[in-house]
């Protein structure tokens, strides 16, 4: 994919987009799912670290 500058991005219209195929939609859904799982894991690790820090300081 070519890099676009901000002006080109802001000038996009609905005609510049196309419907995703079923396979592309599935791949996009999997990508989003794994991103969310990664964020959940990261948040759990941060919470665990905060709880351990609080337990040590009290």
């Amino acid at each position: 994919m070519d890099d676009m500058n901000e002006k080109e991005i802001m000038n996009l219209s609905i005609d510049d987009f196309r419907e995703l195929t079923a396979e592309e939609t599935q791949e996009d859904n999997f990508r989003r799912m794994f991103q969310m799982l990664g964020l959940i894991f990261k948040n759990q690790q941060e919470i665990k670290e905060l709880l351990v820090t609080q337990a040590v300081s009290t």
Side-chain angles (χ1 to χ4, degrees):
M1 176 179 231
D2 295 333
D3 288 338
M4 297 177 70
N5 64 36
E6 185 177 343
K7 185 177 180 180
E8 290 171 323
I9 293 171
M10 295 307 293
N11 287 329
L12 288 173
S13 71
I14 194 67
D15 295 331
D16 296 315
F17 297 92
R18 64 173 175 78
E19 291 292 320
L20 296 178
T21 64
E23 184 177 342
E24 289 172 325
T25 301
Q26 183 179 15
E27 288 174 4
D28 192 50
N29 287 341
F30 275 115
R31 180 186 57 79
R32 290 176 193 217
M33 179 183 69
F34 284 112
Q35 284 178 333
M36 287 191 292
L37 289 172
L39 289 172
I40 291 168
F41 179 76
K42 181 180 173 188
N43 287 341
Q44 287 177 333
Q45 294 300 105
E46 291 174 359
I47 291 168
K48 181 181 175 184
E49 288 174 19
L50 287 171
L51 290 173
V52 167
T53 303
Q54 279 184 339
V56 170
S57 65
T58 56

